[in-house]
Structure formats: C-alpha cells, structure tokens
Amino acid sequence: MSFKIKPFLKKRLEPKVFTGLPLTIFIIVFLILLATFIGLTNAIVNSAPIVNLDNNLANTLYHLRTPQGVKVFYTITNFADQITIVILLVLSLIYLYFKKELAYLYAIIITFIGAEGSAFLIKILINRARPGADLAYYLETSKSFPSGHSTAAMAFFGFVTYYIIHHINNNSKKSLFILIGTILIGLIGFSRLYLVEHYLSDVLGGFLIGGLWLVVGITFRERHFYTASIKNGKNNTI
C-alpha cells in the first residue's frame, strides 16, 4: 500500500481531533525540548566553552553574593526542596481527588514521577561533580547535572500553572498566572546559581527535563479531555 502524504498531513493538522493538530503540536514541542536537552548534555560532556561559561558564572555569582541575597534565595530555593515539593504534591493529589478531577490527578503524577525519575537516572549517568565546596552555600551530596530543584520546579509549578489557567476564563488573569508561574520557576532556577549549588547548564538541563515531562502530562490530560468531549457530543478544542 503506497503512502499518501496529503491525507496524512490533513489528519495531522485537523484541529477538532486530538490525534490531529493538538497532538502534532505536543509532539513538536516535545521533540524540540528533547533535541535541546540532548545537545546540552553532549555539550556538558564534550564542550570546553560550556564548561568555562559554567565555571565563570559560578565564580562571578559567588563574588556578588551578599548575606541578604543568600537569605532571600535560600528561602526561594526551598520552594522546590524535596520535602516541600512532596508535601505540595500530596496536597494537590488530595485536592484533585476530592474535586473528582482524576485526569489532572493522573497527569500530575505522570509529570512528577517521570521528571524526578529521569533526573535521578541522568545524574547517575552523567555523574557530574557539583561546584566546589568553597563556592557552594551548603553541601549537597547528589550529582550536579541536572538540577533536581529546577526539574521539580518546572514539572510541578508548571503543571499547577497549567491547571489554574484552565479554571479561569479571564484572559488577563490567565496571563497574570502564567507570568507568576514563570517568575517562580525562573527564581528557583536562579537560586541554585546564586547559592552556587549548580552550574548554569545544570539548571537549564533541569528545566528541559521538567518541560519534557510537563508536555507528556499535559498531553495525557488533553487526550482525556478530547475523549470526554467526543463522548459528550462536543467539539471542544484546547
């Protein structure tokens, strides 16, 4: 049977079917994030300019660090601490369960476990040492790449932002919550740099891994949304 490209493309670009345009968009975003992550990982292993940039930025931030700044960013970094994130996740799961929003509940589990599990395995695989103890604000025992805090921040707070904007109709409020979520995630990532617990590439790698699994979680929830819409006789789009 010969492959016909026009019908294939038409199906991929169908806006009212999840397996059409919506899934195509999710796949493209996922592949872009994956390619970027692979390129970054390869650069960390093989590229002297990336390593030099990481080291220079770490030294610069160390010399710019102030006691007041340390207090602020130590507080911010704890928003994505393992204990804090797990507590917030459990509270989120309880909330979603009693709200009977099971698609969101399963999606956030997939996002979080996938992101955390990937980060854990990649830390072992890359086995990158953290910045020197003379630079770091406090001692961390796990490996440096990717940043676990950045991974968790992107995966968890990214999903929370996604959930919130799907429960409000005002576009201005949606934009505000997207901005708040972006700033929070960015500040958590920067806190790892300011405290010199990670290199820049570690933080970017964490954001990318968290972003990859965020796309997976959102895709899962949107697939459920489209399925429910079809069963209810609706043609909703994202």
Side-chain angles (χ1 to χ4, degrees), residues 97-157:
Y97 177 79
F98 282 105
K99 290 281 289 184
K100 301 187 186 309
E101 296 187 288
L102 298 184
Y104 283 104
L105 186 150
Y106 296 142
I108 196 172
I109 291 175
I110 291 170
T111 300
F112 185 78
I113 292 180
E116 289 295 295
S118 297
F120 176 78
L121 292 175
I122 293 168
K123 279 178 181 286
I124 296 174
L125 178 64
I126 301 299
N127 196 33
R128 188 188 199 189
R130 285 183 179 260
D134 54 327
L135 299 178
Y137 177 65
Y138 61 91
L139 180 64
E140 287 271 20
T141 56
S142 63
K143 295 301 180 179
S144 193
F145 183 87
S147 164
H149 282 67
S150 301
T151 303
M154 179 62 76
F156 180 76
F157 292 114

Side-chain angles (χ1 to χ4, degrees), residues 171-234:
N171 288 331
S172 296
K173 289 183 179 180
K174 285 186 178 184
S175 299
L176 176 61
F177 278 106
I178 291 173
L179 179 62
I180 292 172
T182 302
I183 290 174
L184 176 59
I185 294 168
L187 285 175
I188 290 171
F190 183 75
S191 73
R192 307 308 289 162
L193 301 176
Y194 189 83
L195 300 173
V196 198
E197 299 297 329
H198 283 286
Y199 297 109
L200 175 61
S201 53
D202 299 334
V203 170
L204 295 178
F207 283 159
L208 288 169
I209 294 173
L212 282 170
W213 282 99
L214 180 58
V215 170
V216 172
I218 291 174
T219 303
F220 174 89
R221 187 266 159 186
E222 295 294 343
R223 178 69 180 89
H224 182 276
F225 171 77
Y226 267 76
T227 302
S229 297
I230 291 172
K231 288 181 179 179
N232 293 329
K234 298 176 181 178

Side-chain angles (χ1 to χ4, degrees), residues 57-71:
L57 181 60
N59 280 286
T60 299
L61 290 174
Y62 171 75
H63 287 101
L64 292 176
R65 205 160 68 193
T66 65
Q68 294 78 13
V70 165
K71 290 180 181 179

Side-chain angles (χ1 to χ4, degrees), residues 23-41 204-205 207-213 215-216:
L23 184 58
T24 300
I25 292 173
F26 285 128
I27 291 173
I28 290 172
V29 172
F30 182 88
L31 291 176
I32 290 172
L33 291 173
L34 180 61
T36 305
F37 176 75
I38 292 172
L40 180 63
T41 304
L204 295 178
F207 283 159
L208 288 169
I209 294 173
L212 282 170
W213 282 99
V215 170
V216 172

